[in-house]
Amino acid sequence: MVDLADELRAVLKDLKGGKTATPVTIRTFLSWFGMQRRTASNVEYINSQLKAAGVRTVPNYLDIWVDTPISFELTAKRRGDGPDSTPQAPAVENSTEITFTDSKSADDPSFRIGKIESANRAPISVRPTASLQEAITLMLARNFSQLPVMTTDREVKGVISWESIGARNITKTDGTQAQHFMDDAQEISASASLFAGIKIILDHNYVLIRASDKRITGIVTSTDITHQFEETSTPFLLLAEIENHLRALISKKLTVIDIKKACSDEFLPRDFKNVADLTFGNYIRILENDDNWAKLGLQLDRATFCRELIEVNSIRNDVMHFDPDPLTSENLSTLRNVAKMLDLIRSFGGF
């Protein structure tokens, strides 16, 4: 019998009683299970809870930005239960399916443009009849390069930009309203690949995001793409820096014999010949060894040093699983601080 999270049990009770469960953000939904990120292991556990409860999220909590609101509904099997049925959860191993309303499967590996934060912030817009001065003032005040011209959150008439304004000023366009200075809007589905969106952004510097319910939910610009890749690449670069430092430290201070004394053959890579063949787990095991630590000649506490590396290795596992959510600020601080510590040791001649 699966022990459901209290909040999920309350959702199930509301749904079975014919009530509408209160929507929550994905971030709040994750907190129900004591989690912050949609890592592979976290998703596996949450999916087992949803399956056991006979509840699904609308839309799929995996495919969108973490601060997007989601609602809940019963799966087909649960809809057949009466409102007074006891919400007993079947064992996870006996459940055969989990249903999602989205067209994308729960294990869809593609990075969707709808997962970017700015794709989920309703864009500031002006009406077609807004004055050019109003549009320019908004763009200057908000540091925008473009501004959607819309009548409703589903109806886009075009986009006004510094480029479109400049081009029409050159040709002395008649008119004083935003609609007289706009170009055709560029848009893409929130479920489209990030790379499909990048192609449009390269040509037009932005793309509007249209959700499955036809609303324009955000605008992704070249600046947003830069931030996205910075956010994605920073952990990899920091981890590479840390591993390069550790590889240099071990190779300069220890021999292959020292390494093999700390790591039995079962823990070493097959055909191990030098430090370059080692895993991060090997580094920790090698440095935890008293004799090896003494040979390093570092006036540092071994247990504390290795504890920091164990934390780095845990973060590394998340990063290398390409989880959809960014690292927490605490995780990034850990990587930055350990990288800085190793760089400092090296600069002082420690290795």
mmCIF file with all atom_site columns, all heavy atoms in Angstrom, residues 132 157-175 177-185:
data_model
loop_
_atom_site.group_PDB
_atom_site.id
_atom_site.type_symbol
_atom_site.label_atom_id
_atom_site.label_alt_id
_atom_site.label_comp_id
_atom_site.label_asym_id
_atom_site.label_entity_id
_atom_site.label_seq_id
_atom_site.pdbx_PDB_ins_code
_atom_site.Cartn_x
_atom_site.Cartn_y
_atom_site.Cartn_z
_atom_site.occupancy
_atom_site.B_iso_or_equiv
_atom_site.pdbx_formal_charge
_atom_site.auth_seq_id
_atom_site.auth_comp_id
_atom_site.auth_asym_id
_atom_site.auth_atom_id
_atom_site.pdbx_PDB_model_num
ATOM 1   N N   . LEU A 1 132 ? 2.080  55.653 -30.870 1.00 0.00 ? 132 LEU A N   1
ATOM 2   C CA  . LEU A 1 132 ? 3.488  55.281 -31.013 1.00 0.00 ? 132 LEU A CA  1
ATOM 3   C C   . LEU A 1 132 ? 4.276  55.727 -29.789 1.00 0.00 ? 132 LEU A C   1
ATOM 4   O O   . LEU A 1 132 ? 5.168  55.015 -29.318 1.00 0.00 ? 132 LEU A O   1
ATOM 5   C CB  . LEU A 1 132 ? 4.067  55.923 -32.280 1.00 0.00 ? 132 LEU A CB  1
ATOM 6   C CG  . LEU A 1 132 ? 5.558  55.689 -32.522 1.00 0.00 ? 132 LEU A CG  1
ATOM 7   C CD1 . LEU A 1 132 ? 5.861  54.208 -32.671 1.00 0.00 ? 132 LEU A CD1 1
ATOM 8   C CD2 . LEU A 1 132 ? 6.027  56.469 -33.754 1.00 0.00 ? 132 LEU A CD2 1
ATOM 9   N N   . LYS A 1 157 ? -1.833 40.897 -33.268 1.00 0.00 ? 157 LYS A N   1
ATOM 10  C CA  . LYS A 1 157 ? -1.924 41.623 -34.531 1.00 0.00 ? 157 LYS A CA  1
ATOM 11  C C   . LYS A 1 157 ? -0.552 41.838 -35.171 1.00 0.00 ? 157 LYS A C   1
ATOM 12  O O   . LYS A 1 157 ? -0.440 41.987 -36.388 1.00 0.00 ? 157 LYS A O   1
ATOM 13  C CB  . LYS A 1 157 ? -2.592 42.983 -34.303 1.00 0.00 ? 157 LYS A CB  1
ATOM 14  C CG  . LYS A 1 157 ? -4.047 42.876 -33.835 1.00 0.00 ? 157 LYS A CG  1
ATOM 15  C CD  . LYS A 1 157 ? -4.898 42.125 -34.842 1.00 0.00 ? 157 LYS A CD  1
ATOM 16  C CE  . LYS A 1 157 ? -6.354 42.065 -34.420 1.00 0.00 ? 157 LYS A CE  1
ATOM 17  N NZ  . LYS A 1 157 ? -7.182 41.300 -35.387 1.00 0.00 ? 157 LYS A NZ  1
ATOM 18  N N   . GLY A 1 158 ? 0.481  41.857 -34.365 1.00 0.00 ? 158 GLY A N   1
ATOM 19  C CA  . GLY A 1 158 ? 1.828  42.072 -34.870 1.00 0.00 ? 158 GLY A CA  1
ATOM 20  C C   . GLY A 1 158 ? 2.775  42.388 -33.735 1.00 0.00 ? 158 GLY A C   1
ATOM 21  O O   . GLY A 1 158 ? 2.428  42.236 -32.553 1.00 0.00 ? 158 GLY A O   1
ATOM 22  N N   . VAL A 1 159 ? 3.972  42.828 -34.071 1.00 0.00 ? 159 VAL A N   1
ATOM 23  C CA  . VAL A 1 159 ? 4.976  43.202 -33.069 1.00 0.00 ? 159 VAL A CA  1
ATOM 24  C C   . VAL A 1 159 ? 5.653  44.482 -33.527 1.00 0.00 ? 159 VAL A C   1
ATOM 25  O O   . VAL A 1 159 ? 6.067  44.609 -34.693 1.00 0.00 ? 159 VAL A O   1
ATOM 26  C CB  . VAL A 1 159 ? 6.024  42.090 -32.875 1.00 0.00 ? 159 VAL A CB  1
ATOM 27  C CG1 . VAL A 1 159 ? 7.199  42.590 -32.045 1.00 0.00 ? 159 VAL A CG1 1
ATOM 28  C CG2 . VAL A 1 159 ? 5.390  40.872 -32.209 1.00 0.00 ? 159 VAL A CG2 1
ATOM 29  N N   . ILE A 1 160 ? 5.745  45.431 -32.619 1.00 0.00 ? 160 ILE A N   1
ATOM 30  C CA  . ILE A 1 160 ? 6.437  46.685 -32.903 1.00 0.00 ? 160 ILE A CA  1
ATOM 31  C C   . ILE A 1 160 ? 7.824  46.609 -32.268 1.00 0.00 ? 160 ILE A C   1
ATOM 32  O O   . ILE A 1 160 ? 7.989  46.092 -31.156 1.00 0.00 ? 160 ILE A O   1
ATOM 33  C CB  . ILE A 1 160 ? 5.636  47.895 -32.373 1.00 0.00 ? 160 ILE A CB  1
ATOM 34  C CG1 . ILE A 1 160 ? 6.258  49.205 -32.842 1.00 0.00 ? 160 ILE A CG1 1
ATOM 35  C CG2 . ILE A 1 160 ? 5.493  47.861 -30.867 1.00 0.00 ? 160 ILE A CG2 1
ATOM 36  C CD1 . ILE A 1 160 ? 5.389  50.426 -32.535 1.00 0.00 ? 160 ILE A CD1 1
ATOM 37  N N   . SER A 1 161 ? 8.836  47.066 -32.988 1.00 0.00 ? 161 SER A N   1
ATOM 38  C CA  . SER A 1 161 ? 10.209 46.990 -32.506 1.00 0.00 ? 161 SER A CA  1
ATOM 39  C C   . SER A 1 161 ? 10.961 48.236 -32.946 1.00 0.00 ? 161 SER A C   1
ATOM 40  O O   . SER A 1 161 ? 10.481 49.028 -33.774 1.00 0.00 ? 161 SER A O   1
ATOM 41  C CB  . SER A 1 161 ? 10.907 45.745 -33.069 1.00 0.00 ? 161 SER A CB  1
ATOM 42  O OG  . SER A 1 161 ? 11.046 45.860 -34.482 1.00 0.00 ? 161 SER A OG  1
ATOM 43  N N   . TRP A 1 162 ? 12.172 48.418 -32.396 1.00 0.00 ? 162 TRP A N   1
ATOM 44  C CA  . TRP A 1 162 ? 12.986 49.552 -32.832 1.00 0.00 ? 162 TRP A CA  1
ATOM 45  C C   . TRP A 1 162 ? 13.265 49.450 -34.327 1.00 0.00 ? 162 TRP A C   1
ATOM 46  O O   . TRP A 1 162 ? 13.297 50.465 -35.038 1.00 0.00 ? 162 TRP A O   1
ATOM 47  C CB  . TRP A 1 162 ? 14.303 49.583 -32.062 1.00 0.00 ? 162 TRP A CB  1
ATOM 48  C CG  . TRP A 1 162 ? 14.154 49.795 -30.583 1.00 0.00 ? 162 TRP A CG  1
ATOM 49  C CD1 . TRP A 1 162 ? 14.646 49.006 -29.584 1.00 0.00 ? 162 TRP A CD1 1
ATOM 50  C CD2 . TRP A 1 162 ? 13.483 50.879 -29.928 1.00 0.00 ? 162 TRP A CD2 1
ATOM 51  N NE1 . TRP A 1 162 ? 14.312 49.507 -28.357 1.00 0.00 ? 162 TRP A NE1 1
ATOM 52  C CE2 . TRP A 1 162 ? 13.607 50.668 -28.533 1.00 0.00 ? 162 TRP A CE2 1
ATOM 53  C CE3 . TRP A 1 162 ? 12.791 51.994 -30.376 1.00 0.00 ? 162 TRP A CE3 1
ATOM 54  C CZ2 . TRP A 1 162 ? 13.062 51.529 -27.598 1.00 0.00 ? 162 TRP A CZ2 1
ATOM 55  C CZ3 . TRP A 1 162 ? 12.238 52.868 -29.448 1.00 0.00 ? 162 TRP A CZ3 1
ATOM 56  C CH2 . TRP A 1 162 ? 12.381 52.634 -28.082 1.00 0.00 ? 162 TRP A CH2 1
ATOM 57  N N   . GLU A 1 163 ? 13.442 48.232 -34.799 1.00 0.00 ? 163 GLU A N   1
ATOM 58  C CA  . GLU A 1 163 ? 13.702 48.039 -36.220 1.00 0.00 ? 163 GLU A CA  1
ATOM 59  C C   . GLU A 1 163 ? 12.486 48.422 -37.070 1.00 0.00 ? 163 GLU A C   1
ATOM 60  O O   . GLU A 1 163 ? 12.621 49.105 -38.094 1.00 0.00 ? 163 GLU A O   1
ATOM 61  C CB  . GLU A 1 163 ? 14.082 46.580 -36.475 1.00 0.00 ? 163 GLU A CB  1
ATOM 62  C CG  . GLU A 1 163 ? 14.466 46.282 -37.915 1.00 0.00 ? 163 GLU A CG  1
ATOM 63  C CD  . GLU A 1 163 ? 14.895 44.839 -38.111 1.00 0.00 ? 163 GLU A CD  1
ATOM 64  O OE1 . GLU A 1 163 ? 14.943 44.089 -37.115 1.00 0.00 ? 163 GLU A OE1 1
ATOM 65  O OE2 . GLU A 1 163 ? 15.186 44.478 -39.261 1.00 0.00 ? 163 GLU A OE2 1
ATOM 66  N N   . SER A 1 164 ? 11.299 47.984 -36.638 1.00 0.00 ? 164 SER A N   1
ATOM 67  C CA  . SER A 1 164 ? 10.100 48.297 -37.423 1.00 0.00 ? 164 SER A CA  1
ATOM 68  C C   . SER A 1 164 ? 9.788  49.792 -37.380 1.00 0.00 ? 164 SER A C   1
ATOM 69  O O   . SER A 1 164 ? 9.332  50.375 -38.371 1.00 0.00 ? 164 SER A O   1
ATOM 70  C CB  . SER A 1 164 ? 8.903  47.485 -36.908 1.00 0.00 ? 164 SER A CB  1
ATOM 71  O OG  . SER A 1 164 ? 8.468  47.936 -35.630 1.00 0.00 ? 164 SER A OG  1
ATOM 72  N N   . ILE A 1 165 ? 10.048 50.422 -36.243 1.00 0.00 ? 165 ILE A N   1
ATOM 73  C CA  . ILE A 1 165 ? 9.832  51.875 -36.138 1.00 0.00 ? 165 ILE A CA  1
ATOM 74  C C   . ILE A 1 165 ? 10.810 52.618 -37.039 1.00 0.00 ? 165 ILE A C   1
ATOM 75  O O   . ILE A 1 165 ? 10.433 53.528 -37.794 1.00 0.00 ? 165 ILE A O   1
ATOM 76  C CB  . ILE A 1 165 ? 9.985  52.338 -34.674 1.00 0.00 ? 165 ILE A CB  1
ATOM 77  C CG1 . ILE A 1 165 ? 8.876  51.744 -33.801 1.00 0.00 ? 165 ILE A CG1 1
ATOM 78  C CG2 . ILE A 1 165 ? 9.957  53.864 -34.590 1.00 0.00 ? 165 ILE A CG2 1
ATOM 79  C CD1 . ILE A 1 165 ? 9.090  51.954 -32.310 1.00 0.00 ? 165 ILE A CD1 1
ATOM 80  N N   . GLY A 1 166 ? 12.086 52.221 -36.992 1.00 0.00 ? 166 GLY A N   1
ATOM 81  C CA  . GLY A 1 166 ? 13.099 52.888 -37.803 1.00 0.00 ? 166 GLY A CA  1
ATOM 82  C C   . GLY A 1 166 ? 12.835 52.741 -39.289 1.00 0.00 ? 166 GLY A C   1
ATOM 83  O O   . GLY A 1 166 ? 12.968 53.709 -40.053 1.00 0.00 ? 166 GLY A O   1
ATOM 84  N N   . ALA A 1 167 ? 12.450 51.522 -39.697 1.00 0.00 ? 167 ALA A N   1
ATOM 85  C CA  . ALA A 1 167 ? 12.196 51.290 -41.118 1.00 0.00 ? 167 ALA A CA  1
ATOM 86  C C   . ALA A 1 167 ? 11.052 52.155 -41.626 1.00 0.00 ? 167 ALA A C   1
ATOM 87  O O   . ALA A 1 167 ? 11.108 52.702 -42.731 1.00 0.00 ? 167 ALA A O   1
ATOM 88  C CB  . ALA A 1 167 ? 11.882 49.812 -41.352 1.00 0.00 ? 167 ALA A CB  1
ATOM 89  N N   . ARG A 1 168 ? 10.017 52.322 -40.834 1.00 0.00 ? 168 ARG A N   1
ATOM 90  C CA  . ARG A 1 168 ? 8.858  53.100 -41.272 1.00 0.00 ? 168 ARG A CA  1
ATOM 91  C C   . ARG A 1 168 ? 9.111  54.595 -41.177 1.00 0.00 ? 168 ARG A C   1
ATOM 92  O O   . ARG A 1 168 ? 8.516  55.385 -41.913 1.00 0.00 ? 168 ARG A O   1
ATOM 93  C CB  . ARG A 1 168 ? 7.621  52.673 -40.483 1.00 0.00 ? 168 ARG A CB  1
ATOM 94  C CG  . ARG A 1 168 ? 7.089  51.332 -40.981 1.00 0.00 ? 168 ARG A CG  1
ATOM 95  C CD  . ARG A 1 168 ? 6.199  50.632 -39.962 1.00 0.00 ? 168 ARG A CD  1
ATOM 96  N NE  . ARG A 1 168 ? 5.718  49.358 -40.488 1.00 0.00 ? 168 ARG A NE  1
ATOM 97  C CZ  . ARG A 1 168 ? 6.444  48.252 -40.523 1.00 0.00 ? 168 ARG A CZ  1
ATOM 98  N NH1 . ARG A 1 168 ? 7.709  48.254 -40.068 1.00 0.00 ? 168 ARG A NH1 1
ATOM 99  N NH2 . ARG A 1 168 ? 5.945  47.139 -41.024 1.00 0.00 ? 168 ARG A NH2 1
ATOM 100 N N   . ASN A 1 169 ? 9.989  55.006 -40.279 1.00 0.00 ? 169 ASN A N   1
ATOM 101 C CA  . ASN A 1 169 ? 10.361 56.416 -40.232 1.00 0.00 ? 169 ASN A CA  1
ATOM 102 C C   . ASN A 1 169 ? 11.146 56.814 -41.477 1.00 0.00 ? 169 ASN A C   1
ATOM 103 O O   . ASN A 1 169 ? 11.007 57.931 -41.991 1.00 0.00 ? 169 ASN A O   1
ATOM 104 C CB  . ASN A 1 169 ? 11.182 56.716 -38.979 1.00 0.00 ? 169 ASN A CB  1
ATOM 105 C CG  . ASN A 1 169 ? 10.310 56.989 -37.763 1.00 0.00 ? 169 ASN A CG  1
ATOM 106 O OD1 . ASN A 1 169 ? 9.183  57.448 -37.901 1.00 0.00 ? 169 ASN A OD1 1
ATOM 107 N ND2 . ASN A 1 169 ? 10.832 56.706 -36.579 1.00 0.00 ? 169 ASN A ND2 1
ATOM 108 N N   . ILE A 1 170 ? 11.963 55.894 -41.967 1.00 0.00 ? 170 ILE A N   1
ATOM 109 C CA  . ILE A 1 170 ? 12.743 56.164 -43.171 1.00 0.00 ? 170 ILE A CA  1
ATOM 110 C C   . ILE A 1 170 ? 11.818 56.410 -44.358 1.00 0.00 ? 170 ILE A C   1
ATOM 111 O O   . ILE A 1 170 ? 12.048 57.288 -45.195 1.00 0.00 ? 170 ILE A O   1
ATOM 112 C CB  . ILE A 1 170 ? 13.715 54.997 -43.460 1.00 0.00 ? 170 ILE A CB  1
ATOM 113 C CG1 . ILE A 1 170 ? 14.815 54.955 -42.398 1.00 0.00 ? 170 ILE A CG1 1
ATOM 114 C CG2 . ILE A 1 170 ? 14.321 55.126 -44.844 1.00 0.00 ? 170 ILE A CG2 1
ATOM 115 C CD1 . ILE A 1 170 ? 15.719 53.757 -42.506 1.00 0.00 ? 170 ILE A CD1 1
ATOM 116 N N   . THR A 1 171 ? 10.750 55.608 -44.412 1.00 0.00 ? 171 THR A N   1
ATOM 117 C CA  . THR A 1 171 ? 9.808  55.732 -45.533 1.00 0.00 ? 171 THR A CA  1
ATOM 118 C C   . THR A 1 171 ? 8.686  56.714 -45.240 1.00 0.00 ? 171 THR A C   1
ATOM 119 O O   . THR A 1 171 ? 7.729  56.819 -46.007 1.00 0.00 ? 171 THR A O   1
ATOM 120 C CB  . THR A 1 171 ? 9.198  54.351 -45.854 1.00 0.00 ? 171 THR A CB  1
ATOM 121 O OG1 . THR A 1 171 ? 8.552  53.831 -44.685 1.00 0.00 ? 171 THR A OG1 1
ATOM 122 C CG2 . THR A 1 171 ? 10.274 53.377 -46.296 1.00 0.00 ? 171 THR A CG2 1
ATOM 123 N N   . LYS A 1 172 ? 8.790  57.419 -44.118 1.00 0.00 ? 172 LYS A N   1
ATOM 124 C CA  . LYS A 1 172 ? 7.811  58.442 -43.735 1.00 0.00 ? 172 LYS A CA  1
ATOM 125 C C   . LYS A 1 172 ? 6.387  57.878 -43.738 1.00 0.00 ? 172 LYS A C   1
ATOM 126 O O   . LYS A 1 172 ? 5.483  58.419 -44.372 1.00 0.00 ? 172 LYS A O   1
ATOM 127 C CB  . LYS A 1 172 ? 7.910  59.643 -44.657 1.00 0.00 ? 172 LYS A CB  1
ATOM 128 C CG  . LYS A 1 172 ? 9.254  60.354 -44.570 1.00 0.00 ? 172 LYS A CG  1
ATOM 129 C CD  . LYS A 1 172 ? 9.308  61.586 -45.447 1.00 0.00 ? 172 LYS A CD  1
ATOM 130 C CE  . LYS A 1 172 ? 10.662 62.281 -45.317 1.00 0.00 ? 172 LYS A CE  1
ATOM 131 N NZ  . LYS A 1 172 ? 10.768 63.499 -46.178 1.00 0.00 ? 172 LYS A NZ  1
ATOM 132 N N   . THR A 1 173 ? 6.215  56.776 -43.003 1.00 0.00 ? 173 THR A N   1
ATOM 133 C CA  . THR A 1 173 ? 4.903  56.143 -42.886 1.00 0.00 ? 173 THR A CA  1
ATOM 134 C C   . THR A 1 173 ? 3.895  57.091 -42.256 1.00 0.00 ? 173 THR A C   1
ATOM 135 O O   . THR A 1 173 ? 4.179  57.734 -41.240 1.00 0.00 ? 173 THR A O   1
ATOM 136 C CB  . THR A 1 173 ? 5.014  54.867 -42.031 1.00 0.00 ? 173 THR A CB  1
ATOM 137 O OG1 . THR A 1 173 ? 5.882  53.953 -42.702 1.00 0.00 ? 173 THR A OG1 1
ATOM 138 C CG2 . THR A 1 173 ? 3.650  54.217 -41.821 1.00 0.00 ? 173 THR A CG2 1
ATOM 139 N N   . ASP A 1 174 ? 2.716  57.169 -42.864 1.00 0.00 ? 174 ASP A N   1
ATOM 140 C CA  . ASP A 1 174 ? 1.630  57.943 -42.261 1.00 0.00 ? 174 ASP A CA  1
ATOM 141 C C   . ASP A 1 174 ? 1.049  57.167 -41.094 1.00 0.00 ? 174 ASP A C   1
ATOM 142 O O   . ASP A 1 174 ? 0.997  55.942 -41.103 1.00 0.00 ? 174 ASP A O   1
ATOM 143 C CB  . ASP A 1 174 ? 0.530  58.221 -43.288 1.00 0.00 ? 174 ASP A CB  1
ATOM 144 C CG  . ASP A 1 174 ? 0.991  59.160 -44.394 1.00 0.00 ? 174 ASP A CG  1
ATOM 145 O OD1 . ASP A 1 174 ? 1.865  60.003 -44.103 1.00 0.00 ? 174 ASP A OD1 1
ATOM 146 O OD2 . ASP A 1 174 ? 0.485  59.036 -45.523 1.00 0.00 ? 174 ASP A OD2 1
ATOM 147 N N   . GLY A 1 175 ? 0.582  57.844 -40.080 1.00 0.00 ? 175 GLY A N   1
ATOM 148 C CA  . GLY A 1 175 ? -0.035 57.181 -38.941 1.00 0.00 ? 175 GLY A CA  1
ATOM 149 C C   . GLY A 1 175 ? 0.720  57.454 -37.670 1.00 0.00 ? 175 GLY A C   1
ATOM 150 O O   . GLY A 1 175 ? 1.932  57.718 -37.686 1.00 0.00 ? 175 GLY A O   1
ATOM 151 N N   . GLN A 1 177 ? -0.223 55.408 -34.709 1.00 0.00 ? 177 GLN A N   1
ATOM 152 C CA  . GLN A 1 177 ? -0.592 54.325 -33.801 1.00 0.00 ? 177 GLN A CA  1
ATOM 153 C C   . GLN A 1 177 ? 0.362  53.131 -33.956 1.00 0.00 ? 177 GLN A C   1
ATOM 154 O O   . GLN A 1 177 ? 1.046  52.988 -34.980 1.00 0.00 ? 177 GLN A O   1
ATOM 155 C CB  . GLN A 1 177 ? -2.030 53.880 -34.076 1.00 0.00 ? 177 GLN A CB  1
ATOM 156 C CG  . GLN A 1 177 ? -3.061 54.976 -33.825 1.00 0.00 ? 177 GLN A CG  1
ATOM 157 C CD  . GLN A 1 177 ? -4.461 54.532 -34.169 1.00 0.00 ? 177 GLN A CD  1
ATOM 158 O OE1 . GLN A 1 177 ? -4.673 53.582 -34.929 1.00 0.00 ? 177 GLN A OE1 1
ATOM 159 N NE2 . GLN A 1 177 ? -5.459 55.225 -33.602 1.00 0.00 ? 177 GLN A NE2 1
ATOM 160 N N   . ALA A 1 178 ? 0.368  52.289 -32.949 1.00 0.00 ? 178 ALA A N   1
ATOM 161 C CA  . ALA A 1 178 ? 1.264  51.126 -32.950 1.00 0.00 ? 178 ALA A CA  1
ATOM 162 C C   . ALA A 1 178 ? 1.037  50.256 -34.176 1.00 0.00 ? 178 ALA A C   1
ATOM 163 O O   . ALA A 1 178 ? 1.999  49.714 -34.746 1.00 0.00 ? 178 ALA A O   1
ATOM 164 C CB  . ALA A 1 178 ? 1.036  50.312 -31.676 1.00 0.00 ? 178 ALA A CB  1
ATOM 165 N N   . GLN A 1 179 ? -0.216 50.098 -34.598 1.00 0.00 ? 179 GLN A N   1
ATOM 166 C CA  . GLN A 1 179 ? -0.521 49.242 -35.739 1.00 0.00 ? 179 GLN A CA  1
ATOM 167 C C   . GLN A 1 179 ? 0.130  49.731 -37.038 1.00 0.00 ? 179 GLN A C   1
ATOM 168 O O   . GLN A 1 179 ? 0.322  48.966 -37.979 1.00 0.00 ? 179 GLN A O   1
ATOM 169 C CB  . GLN A 1 179 ? -2.028 49.126 -35.931 1.00 0.00 ? 179 GLN A CB  1
ATOM 170 C CG  . GLN A 1 179 ? -2.743 50.424 -36.191 1.00 0.00 ? 179 GLN A CG  1
ATOM 171 C CD  . GLN A 1 179 ? -4.250 50.258 -36.208 1.00 0.00 ? 179 GLN A CD  1
ATOM 172 O OE1 . GLN A 1 179 ? -4.761 49.188 -36.514 1.00 0.00 ? 179 GLN A OE1 1
ATOM 173 N NE2 . GLN A 1 179 ? -4.972 51.330 -35.858 1.00 0.00 ? 179 GLN A NE2 1
ATOM 174 N N   . HIS A 1 180 ? 0.480  51.002 -37.101 1.00 0.00 ? 180 HIS A N   1
ATOM 175 C CA  . HIS A 1 180 ? 1.109  51.543 -38.299 1.00 0.00 ? 180 HIS A CA  1
ATOM 176 C C   . HIS A 1 180 ? 2.614  51.262 -38.342 1.00 0.00 ? 180 HIS A C   1
ATOM 177 O O   . HIS A 1 180 ? 3.249  51.492 -39.378 1.00 0.00 ? 180 HIS A O   1
ATOM 178 C CB  . HIS A 1 180 ? 0.876  53.065 -38.362 1.00 0.00 ? 180 HIS A CB  1
ATOM 179 C CG  . HIS A 1 180 ? -0.564 53.448 -38.408 1.00 0.00 ? 180 HIS A CG  1
ATOM 180 N ND1 . HIS A 1 180 ? -1.104 54.450 -37.612 1.00 0.00 ? 180 HIS A ND1 1
ATOM 181 C CD2 . HIS A 1 180 ? -1.608 52.942 -39.123 1.00 0.00 ? 180 HIS A CD2 1
ATOM 182 C CE1 . HIS A 1 180 ? -2.401 54.554 -37.858 1.00 0.00 ? 180 HIS A CE1 1
ATOM 183 N NE2 . HIS A 1 180 ? -2.727 53.654 -38.760 1.00 0.00 ? 180 HIS A NE2 1
ATOM 184 N N   . PHE A 1 181 ? 3.181  50.772 -37.244 1.00 0.00 ? 181 PHE A N   1
ATOM 185 C CA  . PHE A 1 181 ? 4.626  50.576 -37.157 1.00 0.00 ? 181 PHE A CA  1
ATOM 186 C C   . PHE A 1 181 ? 5.004  49.125 -36.828 1.00 0.00 ? 181 PHE A C   1
ATOM 187 O O   . PHE A 1 181 ? 6.148  48.866 -36.490 1.00 0.00 ? 181 PHE A O   1
ATOM 188 C CB  . PHE A 1 181 ? 5.217  51.508 -36.085 1.00 0.00 ? 181 PHE A CB  1
ATOM 189 C CG  . PHE A 1 181 ? 5.137  52.960 -36.454 1.00 0.00 ? 181 PHE A CG  1
ATOM 190 C CD1 . PHE A 1 181 ? 3.977  53.693 -36.207 1.00 0.00 ? 181 PHE A CD1 1
ATOM 191 C CD2 . PHE A 1 181 ? 6.204  53.591 -37.066 1.00 0.00 ? 181 PHE A CD2 1
ATOM 192 C CE1 . PHE A 1 181 ? 3.895  55.034 -36.550 1.00 0.00 ? 181 PHE A CE1 1
ATOM 193 C CE2 . PHE A 1 181 ? 6.131  54.931 -37.413 1.00 0.00 ? 181 PHE A CE2 1
ATOM 194 C CZ  . PHE A 1 181 ? 4.976  55.667 -37.163 1.00 0.00 ? 181 PHE A CZ  1
ATOM 195 N N   . MET A 1 182 ? 4.061  48.207 -36.943 1.00 0.00 ? 182 MET A N   1
ATOM 196 C CA  . MET A 1 182 ? 4.331  46.833 -36.528 1.00 0.00 ? 182 MET A CA  1
ATOM 197 C C   . MET A 1 182 ? 4.652  45.946 -37.723 1.00 0.00 ? 182 MET A C   1
ATOM 198 O O   . MET A 1 182 ? 4.262  46.205 -38.859 1.00 0.00 ? 182 MET A O   1
ATOM 199 C CB  . MET A 1 182 ? 3.131  46.264 -35.756 1.00 0.00 ? 182 MET A CB  1
ATOM 200 C CG  . MET A 1 182 ? 1.883  46.088 -36.584 1.00 0.00 ? 182 MET A CG  1
ATOM 201 S SD  . MET A 1 182 ? 0.460  45.592 -35.566 1.00 0.00 ? 182 MET A SD  1
ATOM 202 C CE  . MET A 1 182 ? -0.766 45.273 -36.847 1.00 0.00 ? 182 MET A CE  1
ATOM 203 N N   . ASP A 1 183 ? 5.378  44.872 -37.436 1.00 0.00 ? 183 ASP A N   1
ATOM 204 C CA  . ASP A 1 183 ? 5.645  43.797 -38.394 1.00 0.00 ? 183 ASP A CA  1
ATOM 205 C C   . ASP A 1 183 ? 4.813  42.581 -38.015 1.00 0.00 ? 183 ASP A C   1
ATOM 206 O O   . ASP A 1 183 ? 4.238  42.527 -36.918 1.00 0.00 ? 183 ASP A O   1
ATOM 207 C CB  . ASP A 1 183 ? 7.130  43.416 -38.372 1.00 0.00 ? 183 ASP A CB  1
ATOM 208 C CG  . ASP A 1 183 ? 8.011  44.490 -38.989 1.00 0.00 ? 183 ASP A CG  1
ATOM 209 O OD1 . ASP A 1 183 ? 7.540  45.202 -39.900 1.00 0.00 ? 183 ASP A OD1 1
ATOM 210 O OD2 . ASP A 1 183 ? 9.185  44.596 -38.550 1.00 0.00 ? 183 ASP A OD2 1
ATOM 211 N N   . ASP A 1 184 ? 4.785  41.593 -38.900 1.00 0.00 ? 184 ASP A N   1
ATOM 212 C CA  . ASP A 1 184 ? 4.104  40.340 -38.579 1.00 0.00 ? 184 ASP A CA  1
ATOM 213 C C   . ASP A 1 184 ? 4.764  39.695 -37.359 1.00 0.00 ? 184 ASP A C   1
ATOM 214 O O   . ASP A 1 184 ? 5.996  39.740 -37.209 1.00 0.00 ? 184 ASP A O   1
ATOM 215 C CB  . ASP A 1 184 ? 4.159  39.374 -39.757 1.00 0.00 ? 184 ASP A CB  1
ATOM 216 C CG  . ASP A 1 184 ? 3.314  39.841 -40.939 1.00 0.00 ? 184 ASP A CG  1
ATOM 217 O OD1 . ASP A 1 184 ? 2.402  40.661 -40.726 1.00 0.00 ? 184 ASP A OD1 1
ATOM 218 O OD2 . ASP A 1 184 ? 3.587  39.390 -42.069 1.00 0.00 ? 184 ASP A OD2 1
ATOM 219 N N   . ALA A 1 185 ? 3.958  39.086 -36.507 1.00 0.00 ? 185 ALA A N   1
ATOM 220 C CA  . ALA A 1 185 ? 4.478  38.451 -35.291 1.00 0.00 ? 185 ALA A CA  1
ATOM 221 C C   . ALA A 1 185 ? 5.081  37.090 -35.605 1.00 0.00 ? 185 ALA A C   1
ATOM 222 O O   . ALA A 1 185 ? 4.592  36.357 -36.471 1.00 0.00 ? 185 ALA A O   1
ATOM 223 C CB  . ALA A 1 185 ? 3.368  38.309 -34.260 1.00 0.00 ? 185 ALA A CB  1
#
